[in-house]
mmCIF file of all heavy atoms in Angstrom:
data_model
loop_
_atom_site.group_PDB
_atom_site.id
_atom_site.type_symbol
_atom_site.label_atom_id
_atom_site.label_comp_id
_atom_site.label_asym_id
_atom_site.label_seq_id
_atom_site.Cartn_x
_atom_site.Cartn_y
_atom_site.Cartn_z
ATOM 1 N N THR E 373 -77.336 -39.269 43.960
ATOM 2 C CA THR E 373 -77.854 -37.881 44.287
ATOM 3 C C THR E 373 -78.391 -37.239 42.987
ATOM 4 O O THR E 373 -79.502 -36.648 42.937
ATOM 5 C CB THR E 373 -76.795 -37.006 44.821
ATOM 6 O OG1 THR E 373 -76.271 -37.644 46.039
ATOM 7 C CG2 THR E 373 -77.267 -35.671 45.138
ATOM 8 N N LEU E 374 -77.638 -37.535 41.841
ATOM 9 C CA LEU E 374 -78.065 -36.989 40.494
ATOM 10 C C LEU E 374 -79.413 -37.670 40.112
ATOM 11 O O LEU E 374 -80.298 -37.005 39.636
ATOM 12 C CB LEU E 374 -77.076 -37.173 39.465
ATOM 13 C CG LEU E 374 -75.793 -36.404 39.619
ATOM 14 C CD1 LEU E 374 -74.704 -36.773 38.627
ATOM 15 C CD2 LEU E 374 -76.020 -34.897 39.567
ATOM 16 N N ALA E 375 -79.527 -38.940 40.322
ATOM 17 C CA ALA E 375 -80.736 -39.712 39.988
ATOM 18 C C ALA E 375 -81.934 -39.246 40.712
ATOM 19 O O ALA E 375 -82.966 -39.090 40.169
ATOM 20 C CB ALA E 375 -80.456 -41.241 40.175
ATOM 21 N N LYS E 376 -81.706 -39.048 42.004
ATOM 22 C CA LYS E 376 -82.823 -38.545 42.783
ATOM 23 C C LYS E 376 -83.300 -37.208 42.387
ATOM 24 O O LYS E 376 -84.499 -36.948 42.230
ATOM 25 C CB LYS E 376 -82.289 -38.387 44.328
ATOM 26 C CG LYS E 376 -83.274 -37.681 45.247
ATOM 27 C CD LYS E 376 -82.610 -37.482 46.571
ATOM 28 C CE LYS E 376 -83.475 -36.620 47.550
ATOM 29 N NZ LYS E 376 -82.776 -36.368 48.844
ATOM 30 N N GLY E 377 -82.371 -36.277 41.961
ATOM 31 C CA GLY E 377 -82.801 -34.997 41.382
ATOM 32 C C GLY E 377 -83.568 -35.142 40.126
ATOM 33 O O GLY E 377 -84.521 -34.438 39.850
ATOM 34 N N MET E 378 -83.150 -36.090 39.279
ATOM 35 C CA MET E 378 -83.819 -36.240 37.977
ATOM 36 C C MET E 378 -85.211 -36.679 38.226
ATOM 37 O O MET E 378 -86.171 -36.298 37.442
ATOM 38 C CB MET E 378 -83.052 -37.240 37.098
ATOM 39 C CG MET E 378 -81.671 -36.826 36.648
ATOM 40 S SD MET E 378 -80.652 -38.045 36.002
ATOM 41 C CE MET E 378 -81.555 -38.519 34.474
ATOM 42 N N ILE E 379 -85.493 -37.587 39.181
ATOM 43 C CA ILE E 379 -86.804 -38.104 39.365
ATOM 44 C C ILE E 379 -87.683 -37.103 40.012
ATOM 45 O O ILE E 379 -88.879 -36.924 39.658
ATOM 46 C CB ILE E 379 -86.688 -39.385 40.307
ATOM 47 C CG1 ILE E 379 -86.093 -40.550 39.455
ATOM 48 C CG2 ILE E 379 -88.109 -39.810 40.752
ATOM 49 C CD1 ILE E 379 -85.488 -41.610 40.262
ATOM 50 N N VAL E 380 -87.190 -36.423 41.023
ATOM 51 C CA VAL E 380 -87.980 -35.294 41.742
ATOM 52 C C VAL E 380 -88.233 -34.169 40.766
ATOM 53 O O VAL E 380 -89.394 -33.553 40.725
ATOM 54 C CB VAL E 380 -87.328 -34.878 42.987
ATOM 55 C CG1 VAL E 380 -88.042 -33.672 43.652
ATOM 56 C CG2 VAL E 380 -87.280 -36.032 43.959
ATOM 57 N N GLU E 381 -87.311 -33.865 39.900
ATOM 58 C CA GLU E 381 -87.405 -32.770 38.950
ATOM 59 C C GLU E 381 -88.396 -33.115 37.815
ATOM 60 O O GLU E 381 -89.090 -32.276 37.216
ATOM 61 C CB GLU E 381 -86.086 -32.377 38.427
ATOM 62 C CG GLU E 381 -86.065 -31.189 37.508
ATOM 63 C CD GLU E 381 -86.270 -31.481 36.018
ATOM 64 O OE1 GLU E 381 -86.106 -32.651 35.642
ATOM 65 O OE2 GLU E 381 -86.689 -30.606 35.269
ATOM 66 N N GLY E 382 -88.447 -34.454 37.486
ATOM 67 C CA GLY E 382 -89.426 -34.877 36.482
ATOM 68 C C GLY E 382 -88.873 -35.211 35.129
ATOM 69 O O GLY E 382 -89.587 -35.471 34.131
ATOM 70 N N SER E 383 -87.502 -35.218 35.026
ATOM 71 C CA SER E 383 -86.932 -35.476 33.761
ATOM 72 C C SER E 383 -86.789 -37.032 33.440
ATOM 73 O O SER E 383 -86.558 -37.408 32.329
ATOM 74 C CB SER E 383 -85.542 -34.855 33.583
ATOM 75 O OG SER E 383 -84.680 -35.267 34.602
ATOM 76 N N ALA E 384 -87.079 -37.878 34.407
ATOM 77 C CA ALA E 384 -87.015 -39.298 34.265
ATOM 78 C C ALA E 384 -87.839 -39.898 35.361
ATOM 79 O O ALA E 384 -87.951 -39.405 36.454
ATOM 80 C CB ALA E 384 -85.573 -39.816 34.297
ATOM 81 N N GLU E 385 -88.548 -41.059 34.996
ATOM 82 C CA GLU E 385 -89.264 -41.729 36.065
ATOM 83 C C GLU E 385 -88.447 -42.785 36.803
ATOM 84 O O GLU E 385 -88.560 -42.966 37.944
ATOM 85 C CB GLU E 385 -90.498 -42.466 35.437
ATOM 86 C CG GLU E 385 -91.404 -43.078 36.433
ATOM 87 C CD GLU E 385 -92.702 -43.738 35.834
ATOM 88 O OE1 GLU E 385 -92.731 -43.827 34.590
ATOM 89 O OE2 GLU E 385 -93.589 -44.082 36.680
ATOM 90 N N TYR E 386 -87.531 -43.424 36.044
ATOM 91 C CA TYR E 386 -86.619 -44.362 36.594
ATOM 92 C C TYR E 386 -85.242 -44.094 36.027
ATOM 93 O O TYR E 386 -85.045 -43.879 34.833
ATOM 94 C CB TYR E 386 -86.985 -45.813 36.258
ATOM 95 C CG TYR E 386 -88.368 -46.168 36.668
ATOM 96 C CD1 TYR E 386 -89.493 -46.192 35.802
ATOM 97 C CD2 TYR E 386 -88.583 -46.642 37.994
ATOM 98 C CE1 TYR E 386 -90.735 -46.536 36.303
ATOM 99 C CE2 TYR E 386 -89.845 -46.983 38.501
ATOM 100 C CZ TYR E 386 -90.900 -46.945 37.607
ATOM 101 O OH TYR E 386 -92.204 -47.288 38.002
ATOM 102 N N VAL E 387 -84.243 -44.163 36.962
ATOM 103 C CA VAL E 387 -82.845 -43.951 36.581
ATOM 104 C C VAL E 387 -81.975 -45.033 37.108
ATOM 105 O O VAL E 387 -82.120 -45.505 38.236
ATOM 106 C CB VAL E 387 -82.333 -42.576 37.099
ATOM 107 C CG1 VAL E 387 -80.872 -42.464 36.816
ATOM 108 C CG2 VAL E 387 -83.174 -41.416 36.676
#
Side-chain angles (χ1 to χ4, degrees):
T373 304
L374 295 173
K376 173 185 173 182
M378 292 167 70
I379 291 159
V380 173
E381 186 271 339
S383 59
E385 186 175 12
Y386 299 99
V387 178

